[in-house]
Amino acid sequence: MSIATESNQHSHEITHLQQQKLYELLAYVSQNSPFYKELFAKHRIDIKNIKTLADITAIPTTAKDDLQQRNDDFLCVSRSKIVEHTSTSGTLGRPVTIALTENDLNRLAYNEYNSFLCADGSAEDTYQLMLTLDRQFMAGIAYYLGIRKIGAGIIRLGPGVPALQWETIQRLKPTAIVAVPSFILKLIQFAKDSGIDINSTSVKKAVCIGENIRNNDFTLNILGRKITESWDIKLYSTYASTEMQTAFTECGAGKGGHNQADLVIVELLDENDQQVAPGTPGEVTITTLGVEGMPLLRYKTGDICTYDDEPCICGRTTLRLSPIMGRKKQMIKFKGTTLYPPALFELLNEREEIRDFVIEVSSNDIGMDQVSLYVVPAELTDECDHRIRAYLQARLRVSPHIKYVTAEEIQKIQFSEASRKAIKFIDKRA
């Protein structure tokens, strides 16, 4: 059998599997979900007419506004069956609760089991978790469950505190870390300042969460390059959301996050809710498969990505997602220029003069977007200030308002009392 024939056969098997799971999902929500019962009735949708994956387009999309306004109506089980209450971080509004049953927790563990295997994990590894493991944060419990399922060791250290992270690395010798990329840069800086030879330590790979480490062509971006230029470790990017209860994780090829086709159907939609072609930006829209507590149909995540549907060199044949280009609601119109936060992050990460930052966008008195930057400079001098301003003017063609702050002040901005991860973008627009 040729590679092409084998790939086509596998693709047919995946389609058949997804169709079967879609039938089960439609029957389940039509019986148990107050929200989807009402939606089907309002739009006169007969689920018997949805016979193929293509027919799913007959169902209207669901958005975060629906989840926020009618959170309880998405629940398909009695409250006695809920074993875990998680929530979104609520960076674009009040948090949304996602309730999980015992079966959902098992599904979550299976999802991350697959993800860590995809990222070349094994039972021989020990992972140091540099992230929040409480405050209803689904990712923390997901990583923990997935690592346990592959039989690897776990060090639950939580976020921040570079000194403690390094002391623990030197003492317990983990082979891998799970961390936000910008925090890995802080680890590197601390090691340099403290005389730690990072390349002689036990850590050989990092699962990167929450921030892009690649450009849209899958080459390492500034953040990814800064890490690997100083630390000889393999980076794996992962993308997920609380609502989808599923992760898209890179394999060793680093050519996009692999879709777990038995757990989620993914569409990338344009402004008219039409599927876009490979390589064309679209909004990631997901249908969860096998979720019991709060399943979702055609849920628009707000994340803009591209996709590649060619087989990966690792042998996997499912769709792969690009890094997030931006969030639909976070698009900034600033003095005639359209910006997404990840593009600004990339610009700011590029400069040695900028040690850390937070971007804040608000509305001015005439309703236009106003961008302010809180910046920790490498040195507080006129020369450093001039280089930063000249660089931003040259790259953005506009000048945002800059306020210089200390490392302690930026820490308070990034980690408010309710935040579970460092906040780099604050949206204060009405």
Side-chain angles (χ1 to χ4, degrees):
M1 184 183 292
S2 71
I3 293 174
T5 304
E6 190 174 334
S7 174
N8 288 335
Q9 181 178 329
H10 190 225
S11 178
H12 178 74
E13 289 170 358
I14 289 171
T15 299
H16 179 73
L17 172 67
Q18 288 195 321
Q19 285 181 173
Q20 184 58 43
K21 291 203 167 199
L22 178 60
Y23 301 154
E24 294 168 5
L25 170 64
L26 291 170
Y28 182 72
V29 297
S30 66
Q31 278 195 326
N32 299 293
S33 169
F35 179 85
Y36 286 114
K37 279 185 192 177
E38 183 182 311
L39 186 78
F40 292 170
K42 179 181 178 182
H43 294 275
R44 299 180 180 175
I45 293 169
D46 183 349
I47 61 172
K48 294 188 184 69
N49 293 330
I50 300 172
K51 301 180 185 300
T52 68
L53 292 181
D55 295 336
I56 200 175
T57 57
I59 301 170
T61 57
T62 303
K64 188 156 189 172
D65 286 347
D66 298 314
L67 266 178
Q68 285 182 320
Q69 292 165 17
R70 302 187 57 189
N71 207 175
D72 289 350
D73 288 339
F74 284 87
L75 190 61
C76 289
V77 297
S78 66
R79 294 202 171 270
S80 63
K81 287 198 73 173
I82 300 170
V83 298
E84 182 84 29
H85 290 89
T86 63
S87 73
T88 60
S89 53
T91 50
L92 293 180
R94 68 181 183 276
V96 168
T97 295
I98 300 295
L100 287 81
T101 65
E102 185 67 36
N103 287 336
D104 292 336
L105 273 184
N106 291 335
R107 178 188 176 283
L108 196 63
Y110 170 73
N111 149 69
E112 286 300 341
Y113 166 82
N114 287 338
S115 293
F116 280 102
L117 288 180
C118 188
D120 299 325
S122 76
E124 305 302 312
D125 282 309
T126 298
Y127 289 86
Q128 188 156 314
L129 298 181
M130 302 179 176
L131 55 110
T132 301
L133 287 147
D134 53 12
R135 300 192 181 188
Q136 294 185 269
F137 191 38
M138 182 185 282
I141 190 71
Y143 299 137
Y144 178 80
L145 292 172
I147 294 167
R148 280 199 63 185
K149 195 170 178 66
I150 64 172
I154 305 171
I155 303 167
R156 293 182 295 110
L157 210 60
V161 201
L164 180 58
Q165 301 287 358
W166 278 118
E167 186 276 329
T168 307
I169 288 171
Q170 292 170 320
R171 180 165 50 88
L172 298 181
K173 298 180 170 44
T175 58
I177 62 175
V178 181
V180 176
S182 57
F183 180 68
I184 299 176
L185 279 186
K186 292 181 180 179
L187 283 180
I188 292 170
Q189 188 61 50
F190 183 90
K192 288 178 178 176
D193 294 342
S194 305
I196 298 171
D197 180 3
I198 55 177
N199 287 313
S200 67
T201 66
S202 56
V203 178
K204 303 303 176 192
K205 55 192 172 188
V207 175
C208 297
I209 64 171
E211 294 173 348
N212 288 345
I213 56 166
R214 299 191 190 278
N215 300 307
N216 226 45
D217 63 359
F218 304 120
T219 57
L220 287 174
N221 63 13
I222 297 294
L223 192 51
R225 291 205 305 273
K226 278 188 172 182
I227 293 169
T228 53
E229 284 167 2
S230 296
W231 200 351
D232 184 20
I233 54 174
K234 180 79 173 174
L235 303 182
Y236 300 87
S237 186
T238 184
Y239 158 65
S241 74
T242 303
E243 298 93 323
M244 71 172 73
Q245 303 181 46
T246 315
F248 293 77
T249 303
E250 286 183 341
C251 66
K255 298 292 185 182
H258 286 277
N259 177 29
Q260 299 190 52
D262 55 338
L263 298 181
V264 69
I265 296 168
V266 62
E267 305 168 80
L268 272 79
L269 303 181
D270 64 17
E271 291 290 336
N272 300 311
D273 286 347
Q274 299 298 307
Q275 173 69 38
V276 299
T280 304
E283 183 173 1
V284 179
T285 303
I286 56 94
T287 296
T288 57
L289 301 175
V291 170
E292 187 176 47
M294 296 183 78
L296 296 172
L297 268 170
R298 305 197 78 208
Y299 177 77
K300 299 175 82 170
T301 64
D303 296 324
I304 307 299
C305 293
T306 62
Y307 73 96
D308 188 336
D309 58 1
E310 292 296 315
C312 181
I313 60 172
C314 74
R316 294 175 178 85
T317 59
T318 55
L319 169 153
R320 285 170 284 128
L321 287 184
S322 75
I324 296 175
M325 300 170 69
R327 286 188 62 78
K328 199 170 182 181
K329 287 189 176 180
Q330 290 182 342
M331 187 177 76
I332 304 164
K333 287 281 193 180
F334 185 49
K335 297 181 181 179
T337 301
T338 299
L339 302 168
Y340 280 112
L344 279 173
F345 296 165
E346 177 79 348
L347 291 176
L348 296 168
N349 283 325
E350 190 171 346
R351 301 305 296 181
E352 295 296 334
E353 296 92 345
I354 298 174
R355 286 287 173 85
D356 208 348
F357 61 87
V358 168
I359 300 163
E360 182 181 277
V361 60
S362 56
S363 298
N364 62 19
D365 54 8
I366 57 171
M368 304 296 287
D369 290 349
Q370 184 68 43
V371 178
S372 299
L373 303 180
Y374 295 92
V375 171
V376 179
E379 52 184 6
L380 198 54
T381 63
D382 289 343
E383 183 184 351
C384 184
D385 172 59
H386 175 73
R387 288 200 300 269
I388 291 171
R389 292 180 188 277
Y391 169 74
L392 291 174
Q393 177 68 40
R395 294 297 299 271
L396 294 176
R397 297 182 178 83
V398 290
S399 298
H401 174 73
I402 299 173
K403 181 179 180 181
Y404 293 113
V405 295
T406 65
E408 291 75 21
E409 288 170 328
I410 206 82
Q411 184 82 359
K412 288 179 182 177
I413 298 170
Q414 290 177 347
F415 290 93
S416 66
E417 192 173 314
S419 67
R420 303 177 302 203
K421 50 192 175 184
I423 294 170
K424 290 294 187 87
F425 178 75
I426 298 171
D427 195 340
K428 289 190 171 180
R429 291 173 292 189

